Amino acid sequence: MTHPGADRAIAGDGPPRSTLRWLGHASTLLVDRGTTVLTDPILTARVAHLRRRRGPIPNDPDVRVPDVVLLSHLHADHTHLPSLRMLGDVPIVVPRRAPDVLPALRAVGGRLIEVDPGDEITIGGVQIRAVPAEHDGRRWRRGPFDTAALGYVITGEMTTYFAGDTDLYPDLGDWVPRCDLALLPVGGWGPNLGPGHMNPPRAAEAAEIVGAGLAVPVHFGTLWPIGLERIRPERFYRPGGDFVTLLRDNAVTAVELQPGEGVDLG
């Protein structure tokens, strides 16, 4: 394992290495073919009533100047406007109609690229394809379903599935028939896990469905409501380890990272 994560190869040292760093919650930093992909960035100590309880606040240059940002849906713990304002003028991939639902997105400084499931774009050395997610994609709990939640498949030297926030859905294996790396949500940010989420057993099933060579649990063990530290602490700490244990006897290799920790993908 390596930390910090981008680890770009020096010219003349061979092809760029593929690396992953989990920044906490659904924020990951993937480098493939020399292209840095940042997902659902949370770069602060707090998100509204949620506090970061583990891991450093991501503030190094590779995090602040990625080549592309992927936003899975508009919930504030995935589309966090204060964090987006910290980034350079980089392309930001968002679900179709997201800027209409959340006009403040247009002011974050990046070039917004709206996509539907099945749409593909190329950024640097990687191809990015949007895929469905089984999750409420609305910004606010009450309101019209104007925009959907998405996952993304990133293809370069390897194929990476970033699920965003989702539950299992029937044609997941058709959208993602195989991948080298699966970044799968296994928990949440509070003592209760509502609909549209995966717990460790369902995430382990998803890892097998998408034929993951390596599975890394995300979306747990980072953010927690202020004042609820003593309420169901196992929901905060255990999902990643439980996920790895469930896959131990299967063909899928799984590794639990700590927030801020990275892995060299070879």
Side-chain angles (χ1 to χ4, degrees), residues 12-101:
D13 285 353
R17 293 155 52 196
S18 296
T19 61
L20 170 75
R21 179 151 51 113
W22 182 40
L23 306 177
H25 203 54
S27 304
T28 68
L29 194 73
L30 173 73
V31 180
D32 192 348
R33 285 186 179 166
T35 302
T36 302
V37 181
L38 177 62
T39 67
D40 288 354
I42 298 293
L43 309 179
T44 59
R46 284 184 58 174
V47 178
H49 66 297
L50 307 177
R51 181 175 64 193
R52 184 185 294 269
R53 291 186 59 204
R54 282 202 308 166
I57 297 173
N59 59 8
D60 55 271
D62 289 315
V63 174
R64 296 297 182 91
V65 191
D67 294 301
V68 63
V69 174
L70 306 181
L71 299 184
S72 62
H73 63 290
L74 291 181
H75 289 169
D77 59 319
H78 294 260
T79 294
H80 186 232
L81 294 171
S83 294
L84 293 173
R85 295 186 188 110
M86 297 178 183
L87 304 177
D89 188 14
V90 301
I92 302 175
V93 183
V94 300
R96 183 77 62 189
R97 293 179 294 280
D100 298 324
V101 174

Coordinates of all heavy atoms in Angstrom, one line a residue, residues 12-101:
G12 N 10.5 8.6 -18.4 CA 11.7 7.7 -18.6 C 11.7 6.5 -17.7 O 12.4 5.6 -17.9
D13 N 10.8 6.5 -16.7 CA 10.7 5.3 -15.8 C 9.7 4.3 -16.2 O 9.3 3.4 -15.4 CB 10.3 5.8 -14.4 CG 11.5 6.5 -13.7 OD1 12.6 6.5 -14.3 OD2 11.3 7.1 -12.6
G14 N 9.2 4.4 -17.5 CA 8.2 3.4 -17.9 C 6.8 4.0 -17.9 O 6.6 5.2 -17.6
P15 N 5.8 3.2 -18.1 CA 4.4 3.7 -18.2 C 3.9 4.2 -16.8 O 4.4 3.7 -15.8 CB 3.6 2.5 -18.7 CG 4.4 1.3 -18.3 CD 5.8 1.8 -18.4
P16 N 3.0 5.1 -16.8 CA 2.5 5.6 -15.5 C 1.8 4.4 -14.7 O 1.2 3.5 -15.3 CB 1.4 6.6 -15.9 CG 1.8 7.0 -17.3 CD 2.4 5.8 -17.9
R17 N 2.0 4.4 -13.4 CA 1.4 3.4 -12.6 C 0.0 3.7 -12.3 O -0.5 4.8 -12.3 CB 2.2 3.3 -11.3 CG 3.6 2.8 -11.4 CD 4.5 3.3 -10.3 NE 3.9 3.0 -8.9 CZ 4.3 3.6 -7.8 NH1 5.2 4.5 -7.9 NH2 3.7 3.3 -6.7
S18 N -0.8 2.6 -12.1 CA -2.2 2.8 -11.7 C -2.3 2.7 -10.2 O -1.7 1.8 -9.6 CB -3.1 1.6 -12.3 OG -3.1 1.7 -13.7
T19 N -2.9 3.7 -9.6 CA -3.0 3.8 -8.2 C -4.4 4.2 -7.7 O -5.1 4.8 -8.5 CB -2.0 4.8 -7.6 OG1 -2.3 6.1 -8.1 CG2 -0.5 4.4 -7.9
L20 N -4.7 3.9 -6.5 CA -6.0 4.3 -5.9 C -5.7 4.8 -4.5 O -4.9 4.2 -3.8 CB -6.9 3.1 -5.9 CG -8.2 3.4 -5.0 CD1 -9.2 4.3 -5.8 CD2 -8.9 2.1 -4.6
R21 N -6.3 5.9 -4.2 CA -6.4 6.3 -2.8 C -7.8 6.6 -2.4 O -8.5 7.3 -3.1 CB -5.5 7.6 -2.6 CG -5.5 8.1 -1.1 CD -4.3 8.9 -0.8 NE -3.9 9.9 -1.7 CZ -3.9 11.2 -1.4 NH1 -4.3 11.6 -0.2 NH2 -3.5 12.1 -2.3
W22 N -8.2 6.0 -1.2 CA -9.5 6.3 -0.7 C -9.4 7.5 0.3 O -8.6 7.5 1.3 CB -10.0 5.1 0.1 CG -11.4 5.3 0.7 CD1 -12.4 6.0 0.1 CD2 -11.9 4.9 2.0 NE1 -13.5 6.0 0.9 CE2 -13.2 5.3 2.1 CE3 -11.3 4.2 3.0 CZ2 -14.0 5.1 3.2 CZ3 -12.0 4.0 4.2 CH2 -13.4 4.4 4.3
L23 N -10.1 8.6 -0.1 CA -10.0 9.8 0.7 C -11.0 9.9 1.8 O -11.0 10.8 2.6 CB -10.2 11.0 -0.2 CG -9.3 11.1 -1.4 CD1 -9.7 12.3 -2.3 CD2 -7.8 11.1 -1.0
G24 N -11.9 8.8 1.9 CA -13.0 8.8 2.9 C -14.3 8.9 2.2 O -14.4 9.6 1.2
H25 N -15.3 8.3 2.8 CA -16.7 8.3 2.3 C -16.7 7.8 0.9 O -16.1 6.8 0.6 CB -17.3 9.7 2.5 CG -18.8 9.6 2.5 ND1 -19.5 8.9 3.4 CD2 -19.8 10.3 1.8 CE1 -20.8 9.0 3.2 NE2 -21.0 9.9 2.2
A26 N -17.3 8.5 -0.1 CA -17.3 8.1 -1.5 C -16.2 8.8 -2.3 O -16.2 8.7 -3.5 CB -18.6 8.3 -2.1
S27 N -15.3 9.5 -1.6 CA -14.2 10.2 -2.3 C -13.0 9.3 -2.6 O -12.4 8.8 -1.6 CB -13.8 11.4 -1.5 OG -14.9 12.3 -1.2
T28 N -12.7 9.1 -3.8 CA -11.5 8.3 -4.2 C -10.7 9.1 -5.2 O -11.2 9.9 -6.0 CB -11.9 7.0 -4.8 OG1 -12.5 7.1 -6.1 CG2 -12.8 6.2 -3.9
L29 N -9.4 8.8 -5.3 CA -8.5 9.4 -6.3 C -7.8 8.2 -7.0 O -7.0 7.5 -6.5 CB -7.4 10.2 -5.6 CG -6.6 11.2 -6.5 CD1 -7.5 12.4 -6.9 CD2 -5.4 11.7 -5.7
L30 N -8.2 8.1 -8.3 CA -7.7 7.0 -9.1 C -6.8 7.6 -10.2 O -7.2 8.6 -10.8 CB -8.9 6.3 -9.8 CG -8.6 5.3 -10.9 CD1 -8.0 4.0 -10.2 CD2 -9.8 4.9 -11.7
V31 N -5.7 7.0 -10.4 CA -4.8 7.4 -11.4 C -4.6 6.2 -12.4 O -4.2 5.1 -11.9 CB -3.4 7.8 -10.9 CG1 -2.5 8.2 -12.1 CG2 -3.5 9.0 -9.9
D32 N -4.9 6.4 -13.6 CA -4.8 5.3 -14.7 C -4.4 6.0 -16.0 O -4.9 7.0 -16.4 CB -6.2 4.6 -14.8 CG -6.1 3.4 -15.7 OD1 -5.0 3.1 -16.3 OD2 -7.1 2.6 -15.7
R33 N -3.3 5.4 -16.6 CA -2.8 6.0 -17.8 C -2.4 7.5 -17.6 O -2.6 8.3 -18.5 CB -3.7 5.9 -19.0 CG -3.7 4.4 -19.6 CD -4.6 4.4 -20.8 NE -4.6 3.0 -21.4 CZ -5.4 2.6 -22.3 NH1 -6.3 3.4 -22.8 NH2 -5.3 1.3 -22.7
G34 N -1.9 7.8 -16.4 CA -1.5 9.2 -16.1 C -2.6 10.2 -16.0 O -2.4 11.4 -15.8
T35 N -3.9 9.7 -15.9 CA -5.1 10.5 -15.8 C -5.6 10.4 -14.4 O -5.9 9.3 -13.9 CB -6.1 10.2 -16.8 OG1 -5.6 10.3 -18.1 CG2 -7.3 11.1 -16.7
T36 N -5.8 11.5 -13.7 CA -6.3 11.5 -12.3 C -7.8 11.7 -12.3 O -8.2 12.8 -12.7 CB -5.5 12.5 -11.5 OG1 -4.1 12.3 -11.5 CG2 -6.0 12.5 -10.0
V37 N -8.5 10.8 -11.7 CA -10.0 10.9 -11.6 C -10.3 11.0 -10.1 O -10.0 10.2 -9.3 CB -10.6 9.6 -12.2 CG1 -12.1 9.7 -12.1 CG2 -10.1 9.4 -13.6
L38 N -11.1 12.0 -9.8 CA -11.5 12.3 -8.4 C -13.0 12.1 -8.4 O -13.8 12.6 -9.2 CB -11.2 13.7 -8.0 CG -11.6 14.2 -6.6 CD1 -11.0 13.4 -5.5 CD2 -11.3 15.7 -6.5
T39 N -13.5 11.2 -7.4 CA -14.9 10.9 -7.3 C -15.5 11.6 -6.1 O -14.9 11.6 -5.0 CB -15.2 9.4 -7.3 OG1 -14.7 8.9 -6.0 CG2 -14.5 8.7 -8.4
D40 N -16.7 12.1 -6.2 CA -17.6 12.7 -5.1 C -16.7 13.3 -4.0 O -16.8 12.9 -2.9 CB -18.4 11.5 -4.6 CG -19.5 11.1 -5.5 OD1 -19.7 11.7 -6.5 OD2 -20.2 10.1 -5.2
P41 N -16.0 14.4 -4.4 CA -15.0 14.9 -3.4 C -15.6 15.5 -2.1 O -16.5 16.4 -2.2 CB -14.2 15.9 -4.2 CG -15.1 16.3 -5.3 CD -15.9 15.1 -5.6
I42 N -15.2 15.1 -1.0 CA -15.4 15.7 0.3 C -14.0 16.1 0.8 O -13.3 15.3 1.2 CB -16.1 14.8 1.3 CG1 -17.5 14.4 0.8 CG2 -16.3 15.5 2.7 CD1 -18.5 15.5 0.7
L43 N -13.7 17.4 0.8 CA -12.4 17.9 1.2 C -12.4 18.8 2.4 O -11.5 19.6 2.6 CB -11.8 18.7 0.0 CG -11.9 18.0 -1.4 CD1 -11.3 18.8 -2.5 CD2 -11.2 16.6 -1.3
T44 N -13.4 18.6 3.2 CA -13.6 19.4 4.4 C -13.7 18.6 5.7 O -13.9 17.4 5.6 CB -14.8 20.4 4.3 OG1 -15.9 19.6 4.1 CG2 -14.6 21.3 3.1
A45 N -13.7 19.2 6.8 CA -13.9 18.5 8.1 C -15.4 18.2 8.4 O -15.7 17.3 9.2 CB -13.3 19.3 9.2
R46 N -16.3 19.0 7.7 CA -17.7 18.8 8.0 C -18.5 18.9 6.7 O -18.1 19.5 5.7 CB -18.2 19.9 9.0 CG -17.8 19.7 10.4 CD -18.4 20.7 11.3 NE -19.9 20.8 11.2 CZ -20.7 21.6 12.0 NH1 -20.1 22.3 12.9 NH2 -22.0 21.5 11.9
V47 N -19.7 18.2 6.7 CA -20.7 18.4 5.7 C -22.0 18.6 6.4 O -22.6 17.6 6.9 CB -20.7 17.1 4.8 CG1 -21.9 17.3 3.7 CG2 -19.4 16.9 4.1
A48 N -22.4 19.8 6.5 CA -23.7 20.2 7.2 C -23.6 19.6 8.6 O -22.7 20.0 9.4 CB -24.9 19.6 6.5
H49 N -24.5 18.7 9.0 CA -24.5 18.2 10.4 C -23.6 17.0 10.6 O -23.5 16.4 11.6 CB -25.9 17.7 10.7 CG -26.4 16.6 9.9 ND1 -26.6 16.6 8.6 CD2 -26.8 15.3 10.3 CE1 -27.1 15.4 8.2 NE2 -27.2 14.6 9.2
L50 N -22.8 16.6 9.5 CA -21.9 15.5 9.6 C -20.5 15.9 9.9 O -20.0 17.0 9.3 CB -21.9 14.7 8.3 CG -23.3 14.2 7.8 CD1 -23.2 13.5 6.5 CD2 -24.0 13.4 8.8
R51 N -19.8 15.2 10.7 CA -18.4 15.5 11.0 C -17.5 14.4 10.5 O -17.8 13.2 10.6 CB -18.2 15.7 12.5 CG -16.8 16.1 12.9 CD -16.7 16.4 14.4 NE -17.0 15.2 15.2 CZ -17.3 15.2 16.5 NH1 -17.3 16.4 17.1 NH2 -17.6 14.1 17.1
R52 N -16.3 14.7 10.0 CA -15.3 13.7 9.6 C -14.7 13.2 10.9 O -14.0 13.9 11.6 CB -14.2 14.3 8.7 CG -13.2 13.3 8.2 CD -12.1 14.1 7.4 NE -12.6 14.7 6.2 CZ -12.6 14.1 5.0 NH1 -12.1 12.9 4.9 NH2 -13.1 14.7 3.9
R53 N -14.8 11.9 11.1 CA -14.3 11.3 12.3 C -13.1 10.5 12.1 O -12.4 10.1 13.1 CB -15.4 10.4 13.0 CG -16.6 11.2 13.5 CD -17.5 10.2 14.2 NE -16.9 9.6 15.3 CZ -17.3 8.4 15.8 NH1 -18.4 7.8 15.3 NH2 -16.7 7.8 16.8
R54 N -12.7 10.1 10.9 CA -11.5 9.4 10.6 C -10.8 9.9 9.4 O -11.4 10.4 8.5 CB -11.8 7.9 10.4 CG -12.1 7.1 11.6 CD -11.8 5.6 11.3 NE -12.5 5.1 10.1 CZ -12.2 4.0 9.5 NH1 -11.3 3.2 9.9 NH2 -12.9 3.6 8.4
G55 N -9.5 9.9 9.4 CA -8.7 10.2 8.3 C -8.4 11.7 8.2 O -9.1 12.5 8.7
P56 N -7.3 12.0 7.4 CA -6.9 13.4 7.3 C -7.8 14.1 6.3 O -8.5 13.5 5.4 CB -5.5 13.3 6.7 CG -5.5 12.0 5.9 CD -6.4 11.1 6.8
I57 N -7.9 15.4 6.4 CA -8.6 16.2 5.4 C -7.8 16.2 4.1 O -6.6 16.6 4.2 CB -8.8 17.6 5.9 CG1 -9.7 17.6 7.2 CG2 -9.5 18.5 4.8 CD1 -9.9 18.9 7.8
P58 N -8.3 15.8 3.0 CA -7.5 15.8 1.8 C -7.2 17.2 1.3 O -8.1 17.9 0.9 CB -8.4 15.0 0.8 CG -9.5 14.4 1.6 CD -9.6 15.3 2.8
N59 N -5.9 17.5 1.2 CA -5.5 18.9 0.8 C -4.2 18.9 0.0 O -3.7 20.0 -0.1 CB -5.4 19.8 2.0 CG -4.4 19.3 3.0 OD1 -3.6 18.4 2.8 ND2 -4.3 20.0 4.2
D60 N -3.8 17.8 -0.5 CA -2.5 17.8 -1.3 C -2.8 18.2 -2.7 O -3.9 18.2 -3.2 CB -1.8 16.5 -1.2 CG -2.7 15.3 -1.6 OD1 -3.4 14.8 -0.7 OD2 -2.7 15.0 -2.8
P61 N -1.8 18.6 -3.5 CA -2.0 19.1 -4.8 C -2.7 18.2 -5.8 O -3.5 18.6 -6.6 CB -0.6 19.4 -5.3 CG 0.2 19.7 -4.0 CD -0.4 18.7 -3.0
D62 N -2.4 16.9 -5.7 CA -3.1 15.9 -6.6 C -4.6 15.9 -6.4 O -5.3 15.7 -7.4 CB -2.5 14.5 -6.5 CG -1.0 14.4 -7.0 OD1 -0.8 15.0 -8.1 OD2 -0.2 13.9 -6.3
V63 N -5.0 16.1 -5.2 CA -6.5 16.1 -4.9 C -7.1 17.4 -5.5 O -8.2 17.4 -6.1 CB -6.7 16.0 -3.4 CG1 -8.2 16.1 -3.1 CG2 -6.2 14.6 -2.9
R64 N -6.4 18.5 -5.3 CA -6.9 19.8 -5.7 C -6.9 20.0 -7.2 O -7.7 20.9 -7.7 CB -6.2 20.9 -5.0 CG -6.3 20.9 -3.5 CD -7.7 21.1 -3.0 NE -7.8 21.2 -1.6 CZ -7.7 22.3 -0.9 NH1 -7.5 23.5 -1.5 NH2 -7.8 22.2 0.4
V65 N -6.1 19.3 -8.0 CA -6.0 19.5 -9.4 C -6.1 18.2 -10.2 O -5.1 17.7 -10.8 CB -4.7 20.3 -9.8 CG1 -4.8 20.7 -11.3 CG2 -4.5 21.5 -8.9
P66 N -7.2 17.5 -10.1 CA -7.4 16.3 -10.9 C -7.6 16.6 -12.4 O -7.8 17.8 -12.7 CB -8.6 15.6 -10.3 CG -9.4 16.8 -9.8 CD -8.4 17.9 -9.4
D67 N -7.6 15.6 -13.2 CA -7.9 15.8 -14.6 C -9.4 15.8 -14.8 O -9.9 16.4 -15.8 CB -7.3 14.7 -15.4 CG -5.8 14.8 -15.4 OD1 -5.2 15.8 -15.8 OD2 -5.1 13.8 -14.9
V68 N -10.2 15.1 -14.0 CA -11.7 15.1 -14.1 C -12.3 14.7 -12.8 O -11.7 14.0 -12.0 CB -12.1 14.1 -15.2 CG1 -11.7 12.6 -14.8 CG2 -13.6 14.1 -15.5
V69 N -13.5 15.2 -12.5 CA -14.2 14.9 -11.3 C -15.5 14.2 -11.7 O -16.2 14.6 -12.7 CB -14.6 16.2 -10.5 CG1 -15.5 15.9 -9.3 CG2 -13.3 16.9 -10.0
L70 N -15.9 13.1 -11.1 CA -17.1 12.4 -11.3 C -18.0 12.6 -10.1 O -17.7 12.3 -9.0 CB -16.8 10.9 -11.5 CG -15.8 10.5 -12.6 CD1 -15.7 9.0 -12.7 CD2 -16.2 11.1 -13.9
L71 N -19.3 13.1 -10.4 CA -20.3 13.2 -9.3 C -21.4 12.2 -9.6 O -22.0 12.2 -10.7 CB -20.9 14.6 -9.3 CG -19.9 15.8 -9.1 CD1 -20.7 17.1 -9.0 CD2 -19.1 15.5 -7.8
S72 N -21.6 11.3 -8.6 CA -22.6 10.3 -8.8 C -24.0 10.7 -8.7 O -24.9 10.2 -9.4 CB -22.3 9.1 -7.8 OG -22.5 9.6 -6.5
H73 N -24.3 11.7 -7.8 CA -25.7 12.2 -7.6 C -25.6 13.4 -6.7 O -24.5 13.8 -6.3 CB -26.6 11.2 -7.0 CG -26.3 10.7 -5.6 ND1 -25.2 9.9 -5.4 CD2 -26.9 10.9 -4.4 CE1 -25.1 9.6 -4.1 NE2 -26.1 10.2 -3.5
L74 N -26.7 14.1 -6.5 CA -26.8 15.4 -6.0 C -26.9 15.5 -4.4 O -26.9 16.6 -3.9 CB -27.9 16.2 -6.6 CG -27.8 16.6 -8.1 CD1 -29.0 17.4 -8.5 CD2 -26.5 17.3 -8.3
H75 N -26.9 14.4 -3.7 CA -26.9 14.5 -2.3 C -25.7 15.2 -1.8 O -24.6 15.1 -2.4 CB -27.0 13.1 -1.6 CG -28.3 12.4 -1.8 ND1 -28.6 11.1 -1.5 CD2 -29.5 12.9 -2.3 CE1 -29.8 10.8 -1.8 NE2 -30.4 11.9 -2.2
A76 N -25.8 16.0 -0.7 CA -24.8 16.9 -0.3 C -23.5 16.2 0.1 O -22.4 16.8 0.1 CB -25.3 17.8 0.9
D77 N -23.6 14.9 0.5 CA -22.4 14.2 0.9 C -21.7 13.6 -0.4 O -20.7 12.8 -0.2 CB -22.7 13.1 1.9 CG -23.7 12.0 1.5 OD1 -24.7 12.4 0.8 OD2 -23.5 10.8 1.7
H78 N -22.2 13.9 -1.6 CA -21.6 13.4 -2.8 C -21.3 14.6 -3.7 O -20.3 14.7 -4.4 CB -22.5 12.4 -3.5 CG -22.6 11.1 -2.8 ND1 -21.9 10.0 -3.1 CD2 -23.3 10.8 -1.7 CE1 -22.2 9.0 -2.2 NE2 -23.0 9.5 -1.3
T79 N -22.3 15.6 -3.8 CA -22.1 16.8 -4.5 C -22.0 17.9 -3.4 O -23.0 18.5 -3.0 CB -23.2 17.1 -5.5 OG1 -23.2 16.1 -6.5 CG2 -23.1 18.5 -6.1
H80 N -20.7 18.1 -3.0 CA -20.5 19.0 -1.9 C -19.9 20.3 -2.5 O -18.7 20.4 -2.9 CB -19.5 18.4 -0.9 CG -19.3 19.2 0.4 ND1 -18.0 19.6 0.8 CD2 -20.2 19.8 1.2 CE1 -18.2 20.3 1.9 NE2 -19.5 20.4 2.2
L81 N -20.7 21.3 -2.5 CA -20.3 22.6 -3.2 C -19.1 23.2 -2.6 O -18.2 23.7 -3.4 CB -21.5 23.5 -3.3 CG -22.7 23.1 -4.1 CD1 -23.9 24.0 -3.9 CD2 -22.3 23.0 -5.6
P82 N -18.9 23.3 -1.3 CA -17.7 23.9 -0.8 C -16.4 23.2 -1.2 O -15.4 23.8 -1.5 CB -17.9 23.8 0.7 CG -19.3 23.9 0.9 CD -19.9 23.1 -0.2
S83 N -16.5 21.8 -1.3 CA -15.3 21.1 -1.8 C -15.1 21.3 -3.3 O -13.9 21.5 -3.7 CB -15.5 19.6 -1.5 OG -15.6 19.3 -0.1
L84 N -16.1 21.4 -4.1 CA -16.0 21.6 -5.5 C -15.3 23.0 -5.8 O -14.6 23.1 -6.7 CB -17.3 21.5 -6.2 CG -17.9 20.1 -6.2 CD1 -19.3 20.1 -6.8 CD2 -17.1 19.1 -7.0
R85 N -15.6 23.9 -4.9 CA -15.1 25.3 -5.1 C -13.6 25.3 -4.8 O -12.9 26.3 -5.2 CB -15.8 26.3 -4.2 CG -17.3 26.5 -4.6 CD -17.9 27.6 -3.7 NE -19.3 27.6 -4.0 CZ -20.3 27.3 -3.1 NH1 -19.9 26.9 -1.9 NH2 -21.6 27.4 -3.4
M86 N -13.0 24.3 -4.1 CA -11.6 24.2 -3.8 C -10.8 23.7 -5.0 O -9.6 23.8 -5.0 CB -11.4 23.3 -2.6 CG -12.0 23.8 -1.3 SD -11.7 22.6 0.0 CE -12.6 23.3 1.3
L87 N -11.4 23.2 -6.0 CA -10.7 22.5 -7.1 C -10.4 23.5 -8.2 O -10.9 24.6 -8.3 CB -11.6 21.4 -7.7 CG -12.1 20.4 -6.7 CD1 -13.0 19.4 -7.4 CD2 -10.9 19.6 -6.1
G88 N -9.4 23.1 -9.0 CA -9.1 23.9 -10.2 C -10.2 23.9 -11.2 O -11.2 23.3 -11.0
D89 N -9.9 24.5 -12.3 CA -10.9 24.6 -13.4 C -10.8 23.3 -14.2 O -10.2 23.2 -15.3 CB -10.6 25.8 -14.3 CG -11.7 26.0 -15.4 OD1 -12.8 25.4 -15.2 OD2 -11.5 26.8 -16.3
V90 N -11.5 22.2 -13.7 CA -11.4 20.9 -14.3 C -12.8 20.4 -14.7 O -13.8 20.9 -14.2 CB -10.8 19.9 -13.3 CG1 -9.4 20.3 -12.9 CG2 -11.7 19.7 -12.1
P91 N -12.8 19.5 -15.7 CA -14.2 19.0 -16.1 C -14.8 18.3 -15.0 O -14.2 17.5 -14.2 CB -13.8 18.1 -17.3 CG -12.4 18.4 -17.7 CD -11.7 19.0 -16.5
I92 N -16.1 18.5 -14.8 CA -16.9 17.8 -13.8 C -18.1 17.1 -14.5 O -18.9 17.7 -15.1 CB -17.5 18.8 -12.7 CG1 -16.3 19.6 -12.1 CG2 -18.3 18.1 -11.7 CD1 -16.8 20.6 -11.1
V93 N -18.1 15.8 -14.4 CA -19.1 14.9 -15.0 C -20.3 14.8 -14.0 O -20.1 14.4 -12.9 CB -18.6 13.6 -15.4 CG1 -19.6 12.8 -16.1 CG2 -17.3 13.7 -16.3
V94 N -21.5 15.1 -14.5 CA -22.6 15.1 -13.6 C -23.8 14.4 -14.3 O -23.9 14.3 -15.5 CB -23.1 16.6 -13.2 CG1 -21.9 17.3 -12.5 CG2 -23.5 17.3 -14.5
P95 N -24.8 13.9 -13.5 CA -26.0 13.4 -14.1 C -26.7 14.4 -15.0 O -26.7 15.6 -14.6 CB -26.8 12.9 -12.9 CG -25.9 12.7 -11.8 CD -24.8 13.8 -12.0
R96 N -27.4 14.0 -16.0 CA -28.2 14.9 -16.9 C -29.2 15.7 -16.0 O -29.8 15.2 -15.1 CB -28.9 14.0 -17.9 CG -29.7 14.9 -18.9 CD -28.8 15.4 -20.0 NE -28.1 14.4 -20.7 CZ -27.2 14.6 -21.6 NH1 -26.7 15.8 -21.8 NH2 -26.6 13.6 -22.3
R97 N -29.2 17.0 -16.3 CA -30.1 18.0 -15.7 C -29.7 18.4 -14.3 O -30.4 19.2 -13.6 CB -31.6 17.5 -15.7 CG -32.2 17.4 -17.1 CD -33.6 16.9 -17.0 NE -33.7 15.5 -16.5 CZ -33.4 14.5 -17.3 NH1 -33.1 14.6 -18.6 NH2 -33.5 13.2 -16.8
A98 N -28.5 17.9 -13.8 CA -28.1 18.3 -12.5 C -27.9 19.8 -12.4 O -28.3 20.4 -11.3 CB -26.8 17.6 -12.2
P99 N -27.3 20.5 -13.3 CA -27.2 22.0 -13.2 C -28.6 22.7 -13.1 O -28.6 23.8 -12.6 CB -26.4 22.4 -14.4 CG -25.7 21.1 -14.9 CD -26.7 20.0 -14.6
D100 N -29.6 22.1 -13.7 CA -30.9 22.8 -13.7 C -31.5 22.6 -12.3 O -32.2 23.5 -11.8 CB -31.8 22.2 -14.7 CG -31.3 22.4 -16.1 OD1 -30.8 23.5 -16.4 OD2 -31.5 21.5 -17.0
V101 N -31.3 21.4 -11.7 CA -31.8 21.1 -10.4 C -31.0 21.9 -9.3 O -31.6 22.4 -8.3 CB -31.8 19.6 -10.1 CG1 -32.2 19.3 -8.6 CG2 -32.6 18.9 -11.1

